[in-house]
Amino acid sequence: MTVAPKILVADDDQALSRTLSWILKENGYDVFTAPGGEHLFEHLTAEQFDLLLLDIMMPKVDGLQLLQRVKADPRFKDLPVLMISSMPPEEATVRSLGLGAADFIPKPFRVRELLARVKAHLRVGRELNQARAEARSRSEMMDIMQEVTASLKPEEIYGILVRRVAQGLSISRCSIIMANPGDESGTVVAAFENPMLHNLQVDLKRYPEIRRALSTGETVLVRDVQTDPLYRGVREEWVAEGRPVETRSAVALRFSLRQQPVGVFFLRTTTEDAPLNEHDVQFAEEVIIAAVAALERAYDLENAVLGQEQMRHLAETDPLTNCFNRRALMEKLEQEMDRAARYATMLTCMMVDIDNFKQINDTYGHLVGDRVLKQLANLLKREQRSVDIVARYGGEEFVVLLPETTNAESRNFAERILRRVSTHDFGEQGRPVRVTISAGIASYPDERVSDGESLLRLADTHLYRAKSDGRNRFRD
């Protein structure tokens, strides 16, 4: 994506300015003019120039003062400036070079000498900018990759990339959009302009550069959305809708994971930012290429952790009720017993049994019986706190562990559960099943409790008493 060097000519002599522009254009340069030096800084701010030709003696502004202001501005301190003047060469050269000019060209100038000096200073400026850009790029790349490789989650890496690239290029909008070639919508997974934005769906019809990057795999640079043919249809929609155009330039860079295209790195500037150029594209490409390996490792780790979590979930979960199973209950019971003993807190165990469950199965069938078990499990989980544990102990029996719960609180919990169950519509819609439960409560510390198994036995003993006393009640 090489383009012609941009040269800005600031001279009050219109005839000379036209001649200079014609000569430079004929030799392949992109030329802009600032007649009389007025509005020079507006031009410099609006475009990124490779060289400035500045007249010294102009009626409305002093060229040397303009030179001094240009070199004092950090944005333009590296811009090569060739001074043009009819002043005595020695005096003009000394004053110009002393203020930071790259060279001096006397009037009237010789065309071949002018072109040679322009070419030389463009080459020097280009090499200097490239060296500085490479140094900055290497330094920033090292910092970025250190931060990226320290992160283990893909969403964290995406957030780091948009933040560091936006800061490195001094742009206000940078995002990562996940989409495949041909998709009509994409998902924003990270955005510098809004760090809280995640998984936002966007209509790709409004982003022609993203669609082209996805379909071709090529990096798309839109220097000016107001004039680029790619944006013609979008501009017409903006006009029809009366929407203000905030975007000035844009870059869409497709990236792949495991050789499969997955999305685009999307950079944009507003009307207040400098337009994006080839150096910005190169930097973004280097960053995303270097980050791909870290992203692939992060996804591999995430999948491995997810696989382990799924295996653990299957190993400790009752498949019918999705509660903890008996094996997981015993592990968690011992953990809670250790914690209660260490910190001198109370632990309550409530054993719950469905009254006359065999009769429910015999009357309504085992499918309805299974439905009742699942419905009771859901009811218990709705009533539990985040620290409580609900497990299916076996058959129609459930166990609820209530850490840091007093005797009065455990009784209130049991009464609430009994009331909820007795008034709940179990079974199928239009064919309700009346269900009641009995519960036994045991708490630690208690002289009869020495470990998790003895706590369970005590709760089971109290459950048997509740059954013997008429069911649909609790005992402790």
Side-chain angles (χ1 to χ4, degrees), residues 347-358:
L347 172 63
T348 294
C349 173
M350 187 172 78
M351 186 170 285
V352 176
D353 183 80
I354 299 177
D355 297 330
N356 302 312
F357 185 68
K358 182 178 184 302

Side-chain angles (χ1 to χ4, degrees), residues 346 407 442-451 454-455 458 462:
M346 294 191 68
N407 290 328
S443 296
Y444 173 86
D446 186 299
E447 60 182 10
R448 295 167 291 182
V449 175
S450 58
D451 55 18
S454 59
L455 182 65
L458 185 57
H462 293 160

Side-chain angles (χ1 to χ4, degrees), residues 412-433:
N412 289 336
F413 181 79
E415 289 175 350
R416 188 170 70 251
I417 292 297
L418 287 168
R419 187 169 58 253
R420 293 277 195 276
V421 171
S422 63
T423 58
H424 186 78
D425 288 335
F426 288 86
E428 300 174 343
Q429 187 174 5
R431 195 184 181 194
V433 178

Side-chain angles (χ1 to χ4, degrees), residues 185-199:
S185 64
T187 303
V188 180
V189 294
F192 171 71
E193 58 270 24
N194 185 358
M196 300 303 294
L197 191 152
H198 298 288
N199 299 324

Side-chain angles (χ1 to χ4, degrees), residues 50 62 86 312 316 349-350 392 414 436-437 443:
D50 301 289
D62 186 317
S86 57
R312 183 181 61 81
E316 63 182 20
C349 173
M350 187 172 78
R392 185 183 181 192
T436 61
I437 60 172
S443 296

Side-chain angles (χ1 to χ4, degrees), residues 166 171-175 192-193 246-247 266-270:
I171 59 177
S172 56
R173 297 181 181 181
C174 180
S175 56
F192 171 71
E193 58 270 24
E246 298 179 354
T247 303
F266 189 36
L267 288 62
R268 287 178 292 167
T269 63
T270 66

Side-chain angles (χ1 to χ4, degrees), residues 20-38:
L20 266 175
S21 298
W22 181 82
I23 292 172
L24 294 171
K25 288 179 180 178
E26 284 294 306
N27 284 270
Y29 299 116
D30 197 0
V31 184
F32 297 76
T33 59
E38 294 184 286

Side-chain angles (χ1 to χ4, degrees), residues 230-251:
L230 186 62
Y231 256 83
R232 182 178 295 112
V234 177
R235 286 196 302 269
E236 292 174 354
E237 290 184 11
W238 287 341
V239 172
E241 296 173 2
R243 295 176 56 195
V245 181
E246 298 179 354
T247 303
R248 182 179 188 180
S249 61
V251 169

